[in-house]
Amino acid sequence: MITVLLADDHPVVRSGLRALLGSIDGLTVVGDAADGREAVRQAVTLHPDVLVMDIQMPDLDGIAATRQIARDAPDVAVLMLTMYHDDDSVFAAMRAGARGYLLKGAEQDEIVRAIRAVAAGEAIFGPGIAQRVLGFFSAPPPAEVPFPQLTDRERDVLDLIADGRPNGEIGRRLGISPKTVANHISSIFAKLQVADRAEAIIRARDAGLGRPSE
């Protein structure tokens, strides 16, 4: 028998889920909560196999509650059932420790299947969510930015220095005064801990900036 706890601030949703799951062999609802803090308390005291939880709830939201449950009752599998489908919500929930993520409006069979899956230790996502998660992990990693300690403007200046451009030309290209160029260069030297322009050029070219002047 899989024991289930429900957490949603809408009574109609909770009663609907309770009626649905109560009609399924092998599932039993052991409690429900109207806010995140109560969901945490019941997860710790009742220790259900699965907690079906919304994200938007009073007192403590579902993501914060999931994070606390992962610490205080790690054997409770959290399945998000929510209307939020943006990437920030999905990945925040998974980082907090949720094992599944479904959107409200999912078919009854899909909800039951997801409950059984997370209870068995699997991770599961609704169809639209799964495509985005797979896309996130299959996408190439973002290119590493050279010298992240530099500002974008300082990196532009260093790129032109590495390209062999004098200060006057750097200023004209970037639309800044020679004094501002000099200030940027001083900052670049300090941040990169280089002694002079030649050393800065070597460091920059090793990192892929600039190119030898024609």
Side-chain angles (χ1 to χ4, degrees), residues 11-204:
V12 173
V13 174
R14 295 199 307 274
S15 63
L17 285 172
R18 182 180 281 275
L20 164 66
L21 301 180
S23 67
I24 304 297
D25 289 339
L27 302 182
T28 183
V29 177
V30 294
D32 61 69
D35 61 69
R37 203 164 301 280
E38 178 64 14
V40 173
R41 189 189 69 79
Q42 292 198 40
V44 172
T45 57
L46 299 177
H47 208 76
D49 297 309
V50 179
L51 168 53
V52 179
M53 180 147 57
D54 193 7
I55 286 181
Q56 185 61 48
M57 288 189 295
D59 197 13
L60 190 70
D61 66 64
I63 290 173
T66 298
R67 191 177 297 114
Q68 191 168 335
I69 289 165
R71 184 185 67 239
D72 297 341
D75 291 337
V76 177
V78 176
L79 171 65
M80 290 297 186
L81 181 62
T82 180
M83 63 183 291
Y84 293 96
H85 55 80
D86 58 286
D87 288 351
D88 287 345
S89 296
V90 173
F91 293 115
M94 304 315 293
R95 284 192 296 268
R99 295 187 195 170
Y101 200 106
L102 295 181
L103 296 181
K104 287 182 176 178
E107 298 292 334
Q108 294 182 358
D109 289 348
E110 187 178 353
I111 295 172
V112 172
R113 184 169 64 250
I115 289 172
R116 287 178 170 152
V118 298
E122 300 174 25
I124 191 164
F125 305 93
I129 301 299
Q131 290 174 3
R132 294 222 303 281
V133 171
L134 291 172
F136 175 82
F137 287 108
S138 63
E144 185 176 347
V145 176
F147 308 116
Q149 68 269 44
L150 302 182
T151 66
D152 290 341
R153 177 60 81 188
E154 288 169 349
R155 201 173 295 109
D156 291 340
V157 170
L158 181 59
D159 187 43
L160 291 170
I161 290 174
D163 196 27
R165 308 296 173 179
N167 287 11
E169 184 177 348
I170 291 173
R172 288 192 298 275
R173 285 186 174 225
L174 298 180
I176 56 179
S177 70
K179 180 174 176 22
T180 301
V181 173
N183 289 339
H184 283 316
I185 291 173
S186 295
S187 178
I188 291 167
F189 287 4
K191 289 180 179 180
L192 298 188
Q193 298 182 337
V194 296
D196 53 30
R197 199 180 191 97
E199 190 176 352
I201 289 173
I202 292 171
R203 290 280 306 278

